[in-house]
Amino acid sequence: MRALLLLLFAFVVMGQRDPILVPEVSQHEVRVRQGFTGTELLLFGAVLDPQGRAAGSDYDIVVVLKGPSQPVRLREKERFAGVWINAVSSDFRSVPSYFAVASSRPIAQIVDEKTAAIYEFGTDYIQLSPSGVIDPEEQARFKDGLVDLKTRQQLYKQDFGGVQISQQVLYQARISLPSNVVTGTYTAETFAVRDGRVIASALAEVDVKKVGFERLVADYSQQWSLVYGLMAVALSVGMGWAAGRLFALI
């Protein structure tokens, strides 16, 4: 019995050797108002041993910031009789509205491809959950097209070297949010990696929400969609009639 207890204690002590991540975000709430041009988040923290002291060993840091997921249907355009028309399409059940990765070194120098795929360390490893049966090559083509589209919209980005580590204790990374971000809860997950293995991880959240008149309009359009649509049509017709009358008087 005593030997069993000693063995159990040894396993507990061994389990506490891995360091602990203490993450923080410069803004836990981002308010989107009229004229919002984007903002920059500072993700920072420390890597400590279980006793609260500096970890004191070499490690790498990878930060993954993800926005709310949403279903997406991607259509491929095809030229037919001189006109561009919708051809084949592909559905993805869970597409991050925003995705950014920052690391202390290139991912290939930190972990192998299998580990990178498990933790989504880059846009090449985003798990999009395709819907239905689709040819693997065609699925890969649609995925590459979606990532390219999101990248050009500044909604997907990666900065391999964007994490700064000071004295193997403190780390920081700056990630920008563009003006066209989707509102909702964003997750900032930080990973400490040593010898190709994730030894610690921690999660922080950022709430992106509309405030002021923009929030009022968004809430009204969702809760009273029929009335909102009728008012929008009435406003358009009224403005068109007013513009016509004004030009008639000139």
Side-chain angles (χ1 to χ4, degrees):
M1 184 66 179
R2 183 178 179 182
L4 181 61
L5 290 175
L6 288 175
L7 183 61
L8 179 62
F9 177 76
F11 276 120
V12 171
V13 172
M14 289 174 63
Q16 292 181 343
R17 289 181 180 177
D18 287 340
I20 301 171
L21 267 173
V22 184
E24 190 52 81
V25 184
S26 58
Q27 302 179 62
H28 285 281
E29 183 179 276
V30 175
R31 298 186 175 187
V32 179
R33 302 177 182 272
Q34 184 177 3
F36 178 72
T37 58
T39 188
E40 184 179 69
L41 295 178
L42 174 63
L43 290 79
F44 62 97
V47 182
L48 307 172
D49 70 5
Q51 285 73 39
R53 299 172 303 205
S57 59
D58 292 338
Y59 61 88
D60 286 287
I61 291 291
V62 182
V63 177
V64 180
L65 180 63
K66 296 173 66 175
S69 296
Q70 51 192 196
V72 170
R73 169 169 290 181
L74 200 65
R75 299 183 184 275
E76 188 175 55
K77 294 289 186 179
E78 186 177 82
R79 195 174 182 86
F80 178 77
V83 180
W84 288 100
I85 61 173
N86 291 327
V88 294
S89 64
S90 179
D91 294 326
F92 296 95
R93 294 190 301 269
S94 181
V95 177
S97 57
Y98 179 89
F99 184 90
V101 175
S103 60
S104 53
R105 289 191 296 162
I107 295 298
Q109 299 178 15
I110 299 177
V111 295
D112 56 26
E113 286 195 1
K114 181 179 179 180
T115 304
I118 292 174
Y119 296 101
E120 296 182 287
F121 286 169
T123 55
D124 291 338
Y125 307 106
I126 299 178
Q127 299 173 12
L128 299 177
S129 303
S131 178
V133 180
I134 186 173
D135 179 72
E137 293 184 1
E138 187 172 317
Q139 177 182 321
R141 189 176 78 254
F142 273 102
K143 178 183 177 181
D144 292 342
L146 178 60
V147 170
D148 178 67
L149 177 63
K150 293 283 190 179
T151 301
R152 286 188 279 113
Q153 294 173 341
Q154 298 185 358
L155 293 173
Y156 282 10
K157 57 188 68 179
Q158 46 192 15
D159 186 2
F160 301 139
V163 177
Q164 306 298 322
I165 301 177
S166 302
Q167 300 178 353
Q168 291 301 310
V169 179
L170 304 176
Y171 70 87
Q172 68 172 14
R174 297 182 182 275
I175 299 179
S176 60
L177 293 178
S179 59
N180 56 336
V181 290
V182 173
T183 57
T185 301
Y186 286 59
T187 57
E189 194 164 9
T190 305
F191 302 88
V193 184
R194 183 170 57 205
D195 298 329
R197 183 176 69 90
V198 174
I199 57 176
S201 65
L203 188 70
E205 292 186 346
V206 179
D207 189 22
V208 179
K209 61 181 183 180
K210 293 183 178 180
V211 295
F213 180 73
E214 288 76 12
R215 181 179 180 180
L216 179 64
V217 172
D219 292 344
Y220 196 80
S221 64
Q222 293 176 3
Q223 298 175 10
W224 304 91
S225 56
L226 178 59
V227 177
Y228 177 82
L230 292 175
M231 289 181 60
V233 172
L235 182 61
S236 299
V237 172
M239 292 183 65
W241 178 83
R245 295 292 299 174
L246 179 61
F247 280 108
L249 295 174
I250 298 177

